[in-house]
Amino acid sequence: MVRIGVEERRTRLGRRHRLGAGCQAADPVEAAASMVALHASDPATVHLSVATRVPGSDVANTERALYDDRSLIRMLGMRRTVFVVPTPFAPVIQAACTDDIAVRQRKLLVKHLAESGIADGAESCGQWLAAVEESTATALALRGSATAQELSADEPRLRTRLDLAAGKAYAAQPYVTSRVLFQLAAEGRIVRGRPLGTWLSGQHQWSPAVDWLPGGLGDKPAAEEARVTLARAWLESFGPGTTADLQWWAGWTLGQTRKALAAVEAVEVDLDGQTGYVLPGDEAPEVPVDPWVAFLPGLDPTPMGWKEREWFLGPHKPKLFDNTGNIGPSIWSDGRIIGAWGQPESGEVRYQLLEDVGADITALVESEAARWTTWLAGVRVTPRFRSPLEKQLSQG
């Protein structure tokens, strides 16, 4: 069994994730494809992840790909997370991950409707939900694009309240609006369009999928075929990785993961005592890259690409991750995390190194901090999921 050590894994990361010197992507689509998908739960992440990987890229460049050219699309994908993906690859993610999520979420929503007394029994709640979905989809088709508030005016049942965890300290009574729109999006019927306000906004216009893209998401492959394609793409970008890494990243069952790895004929490699996998023919060492430094945003797809992260994270997890496993802004050098960054109210980029990296790397870090201060031009990005060190750096 071929051994692939930590240094080799870090070299691959620098080249394949478009972070190393001379390895950057040409445009937002190439940047997204190199990562399979860009995390988009936090809207700022997409723009910052692209700008890290595409020299000279700005917000307008990424928005053009998303909303004008529509060569990128925002969709629900792996682990019930929102991603931005190259549009031709969207049907693969839909079939490999999102369709299963839609089935589970529909059952859960019907359960919550029944528990809230919206209708009498699960069957009646399912019928109620179907009627509201069709009415909402029709209203959206008539408008062409609309906000959740506008659709609620057209379909008043969207303002129905759920009664969740009644009698408990964390009880809540949210409107059903977001759950219905989530369901329609998960089934590929509607898509998130332009944000309301600035590029930092998490609120979006909605559009029918068939209006946003000719033919909607297009022809989907069969689920098993799609999982094989997605596993291959993950190995191309993130390999070597373990079965646990791929299972966590994709949100699959263990059986689905093993079957996909077998179908791509993944080759076993030794990851310092663990069994990892690469694609056939990908066992050879990667071409080395020159020393590099990168400032990655919170939830960037690089640190979120593996379940087991010790080989690039070291002992820094308590300072860089929140309590639910989401990473904040991080600083990387040659394939490993060396620090974190944040912004106080004044808007400049501050950083803190967590280990001694020497004068040359420190100079690169200082240069990157200055570059990001210029790029952000006074815009303060507060991550949706905040790490302890980012909070500390953002004070004052």
Side-chain angles (χ1 to χ4, degrees):
M1 189 185 297
V2 173
R3 176 184 174 272
I4 297 182
V6 168
E7 291 304 317
E8 168 62 16
R9 297 184 77 180
R10 291 173 176 174
T11 298
R12 289 178 176 228
L13 184 155
R15 182 170 295 281
R16 300 184 186 192
H17 290 200
R18 307 291 189 165
L19 298 173
C23 304
Q24 285 85 6
D27 54 49
V29 176
E30 189 175 40
S34 69
M35 306 305 302
V36 185
L38 301 175
H39 275 259
S41 298
D42 186 334
T45 296
V46 176
H47 296 278
L48 300 182
S49 292
V50 169
T52 299
R53 295 170 170 87
V54 181
S57 181
D58 56 16
V59 170
N61 194 35
T62 302
E63 288 188 328
R64 188 177 306 113
L66 277 166
Y67 311 126
D68 297 328
D69 301 339
R70 300 179 185 178
S71 51
L72 293 173
I73 188 169
R74 184 179 275 104
M75 67 178 296
L76 190 75
M78 296 69 72
R79 305 187 310 284
R80 203 167 62 86
T81 297
V82 178
F83 289 91
V84 162
V85 305
T87 301
F89 203 68
V92 171
I93 292 178
Q94 181 72 34
C97 301
T98 317
D99 283 345
D100 283 348
I101 294 169
V103 171
R104 294 194 297 269
Q105 291 300 306
R106 177 173 292 279
K107 291 179 180 177
L108 182 61
L109 179 51
V110 168
K111 177 176 178 286
H112 287 162
L113 290 170
E115 292 173 347
S116 303
I118 303 304
D120 186 16
E123 183 176 355
S124 295
C125 286
Q127 293 170 349
W128 184 92
L129 175 58
V132 175
E133 287 175 325
E134 292 307 314
S135 176
T136 302
T138 298
L140 182 58
L142 291 172
R143 284 182 176 269
S145 64
T147 64
Q149 184 176 3
E150 290 169 337
L151 292 171
S152 295
D154 295 338
E155 172 44 271
R157 286 176 292 183
L158 288 174
R159 305 296 286 179
T160 301
R161 288 188 180 273
L162 296 172
D163 190 10
L164 304 180
K168 298 184 178 180
Y170 50 89
Q173 293 185 317
Y175 292 119
V176 77
T177 313
S178 62
R179 298 283 293 276
V180 172
L181 295 176
F182 177 98
Q183 193 65 42
L184 289 169
E187 294 175 1
R189 299 179 63 183
I190 66 176
V191 298
R192 297 166 179 83
R194 289 187 180 275
L196 305 180
T198 73
W199 56 280
L200 302 178
S201 174
Q203 301 297 315
H204 293 266
Q205 295 269 351
W206 293 92
S207 295
V210 293
D211 291 348
W212 192 256
L213 299 171
L217 292 182
D219 295 331
K220 293 185 299 181
E224 187 170 318
E225 177 188 347
R227 285 192 289 269
V228 173
T229 301
L230 187 58
R232 183 180 294 110
W234 182 82
L235 285 171
E236 287 176 350
S237 296
F238 295 92
T242 65
T243 301
D245 288 330
L246 176 56
Q247 180 185 357
W248 175 83
W249 180 86
W252 292 336
T253 66
L254 180 57
Q256 289 172 332
T257 307
R258 287 174 171 168
K259 196 168 185 178
L261 286 171
V264 299
E265 299 180 338
V267 177
E268 290 187 356
V269 294
D270 174 19
L271 302 181
D272 295 324
Q274 280 190 304
T275 299
Y277 294 91
V278 295
L279 289 174
D282 194 27
E283 302 95 325
E286 184 64 84
V287 177
V289 297
D290 291 334
W292 58 271
V293 162
F295 281 44
L296 300 187
L299 285 183
D300 185 87
T302 289
M304 299 300 289
W306 299 268
K307 181 180 181 181
E308 299 166 359
R309 304 175 175 123
E310 291 79 8
W311 59 276
F312 65 78
L313 179 58
H316 306 317
K317 181 178 179 179
K319 294 186 177 182
L320 296 175
F321 283 77
D322 69 9
N323 292 331
T324 56
N326 298 301
I327 193 170
S330 55
I331 302 175
W332 293 64
S333 172
D334 299 333
R336 75 186 197 281
I337 292 180
I338 61 171
W341 63 278
Q343 290 177 277
E345 290 185 5
S346 52
E348 79 272 13
V349 170
R350 290 180 178 173
Y351 68 87
Q352 180 176 322
L353 297 179
L354 297 173
E355 52 191 73
D356 183 2
V357 295
D360 291 344
I361 297 300
T362 299
L364 290 176
V365 170
E366 291 176 351
S367 177
E368 276 296 286
R371 184 180 76 83
W372 275 109
T373 295
T374 300
W375 192 93
L376 289 163
V379 174
R380 188 186 187 200
V381 176
T382 302
R384 181 176 176 183
F385 303 100
R386 307 193 68 184
S387 64
L389 189 48
E390 183 275 328
K391 289 181 181 179
Q392 177 184 325
L393 291 167
S394 298
Q395 293 175 355

